[in-house]
Amino acid sequence: MTEIRHEPVAPTRTQWLAPGAAIDAHRHDDHQIVYAGRGVLAVTTGAGSWIAPGTRAIWVPAGTVHAHQAHGELELRLVGLPARDNPLGLEQPAVLEVGPLLRELILAYTQTADTPAPDDGSPERARLRAVLLDQLKASPQQPLHLPTPTAPLLRAVCEILSANPADDRTLAALGRQVGASDRTLSRLFKSDLGMTFPQWRTQLRLYRALVLLAEDTPVTAAAHRCGWSSASAFIDVFRRTFGHTPGAHQRHA
């Protein structure tokens, strides 16, 4: 991220992005809620990537340099919040669960927003905003963050797996390729990324699976390309993470 645009006001609006399209690195003086009404959205910062299907939204705190990436045809819903309004009390990006009510609130709040600052001061819009903020406070955070490693040895391992998520080698086998013991790499995963090797690999595979599903890849093919031994194993992990099956996800994307 070398060219960083500064957009003081985080817009509230609906924006369509074609498959594979991106919004380059930028930052706002406001907080922003980023939601995919359709398709799959990835938000990337210097610390890693966050990905969200239609049942999740991404919280981007004020001042965070970030870029957007569309997977599938993306209906991007943006909600800007002044820096003084931080209903989550979070200073780092996070993925939030979006239930039916919060989804409808986001859709309604962004439906007619066609300017960077659409609030017209009406009591109706103020009430809608207040309920939306209340629902955000009650939204559980979801572990859908793929952190970026900084340690060179760890970065080498993560690059190998990112190139081929189906690589099912053990950490010891991967360590032999990069010249490190599994004990050293295990320690680095916890200290550098805040998670274990199996947790990071699962996050990577889910991330890649969401991208493949957005590209209309069949569920079985997505499962095998991401390293699951069977479609049923993939479906089980996907359902436990997102609350629905990959097939249901594709039908409603």
Side-chain angles (χ1 to χ4, degrees):
M1 296 185 179
T2 55
E3 297 295 330
I4 299 172
R5 289 181 292 110
H6 177 213
E7 299 178 0
V9 177
T12 295
R13 67 180 181 225
T14 300
Q15 181 175 351
W16 286 89
L17 294 178
I23 299 175
D24 61 5
H26 61 285
R27 63 183 175 88
H28 308 291
D29 295 335
D30 298 333
H31 305 301
Q32 193 171 54
I33 296 293
V34 188
Y35 176 70
R38 184 178 188 180
V40 170
L41 164 72
V43 170
T44 300
T45 75
S49 297
W50 288 256
I51 192 161
T55 55
R56 303 292 185 267
I58 300 175
W59 166 259
V60 182
T64 302
V65 177
H66 61 288
H68 303 301
Q69 177 73 48
H71 299 291
E73 187 175 14
L74 180 65
E75 180 189 331
L76 184 62
R77 300 279 182 154
L78 302 170
V79 177
L81 300 173
R84 66 179 181 273
D85 292 337
N86 189 336
L88 305 174
L90 296 175
E91 302 302 327
Q92 299 295 328
V95 174
L96 307 173
E97 182 177 320
V98 175
L101 176 56
L102 180 55
R103 172 182 166 82
E104 293 305 316
L105 288 166
I106 292 173
L107 295 183
Y109 197 72
T110 57
Q111 188 65 47
T112 58
D114 54 5
T115 66
D119 293 304
D120 56 11
S122 67
E124 294 81 6
R125 187 143 182 95
R127 287 194 294 269
L128 179 60
R129 177 190 176 89
V131 178
L132 192 155
L133 292 178
D134 284 342
Q135 286 298 305
L136 285 174
K137 293 177 187 177
S139 297
Q141 294 183 49
Q142 301 293 315
L144 291 174
H145 173 212
L146 191 66
T148 299
T150 59
L153 286 172
L154 196 58
R155 189 162 56 245
V157 170
C158 292
E159 287 174 354
I160 292 170
L161 295 176
S162 295
N164 179 19
D167 188 333
D168 62 357
R169 283 180 291 173
T170 65
L171 192 55
L174 291 166
R176 286 192 291 272
Q177 181 173 340
V178 301
S181 69
D182 57 342
R183 180 174 299 181
T184 295
L185 291 172
S186 180
R187 185 174 64 250
L188 285 172
F189 267 101
K190 292 179 181 178
S191 63
D192 197 18
L193 302 182
M195 59 181 63
T196 66
F197 169 60
Q199 288 172 332
W200 188 89
R201 178 147 65 181
T202 298
Q203 292 289 86
L204 171 67
R205 288 175 171 178
L206 285 170
Y207 188 113
R208 193 61 57 82
L210 284 170
V211 171
L212 290 172
L213 293 172
E215 296 171 350
D216 293 326
T217 304
V219 171
T220 299
H224 290 306
R225 288 174 62 179
C226 292
W228 276 279
S229 58
S230 66
S232 60
F234 168 50
I235 291 169
D236 180 60
V237 173
F238 195 96
R239 182 191 290 115
R240 284 190 280 112
T241 303
F242 299 112
H244 55 260
T245 66
H249 169 80
Q250 281 190 312
R251 287 193 296 272
H252 294 95

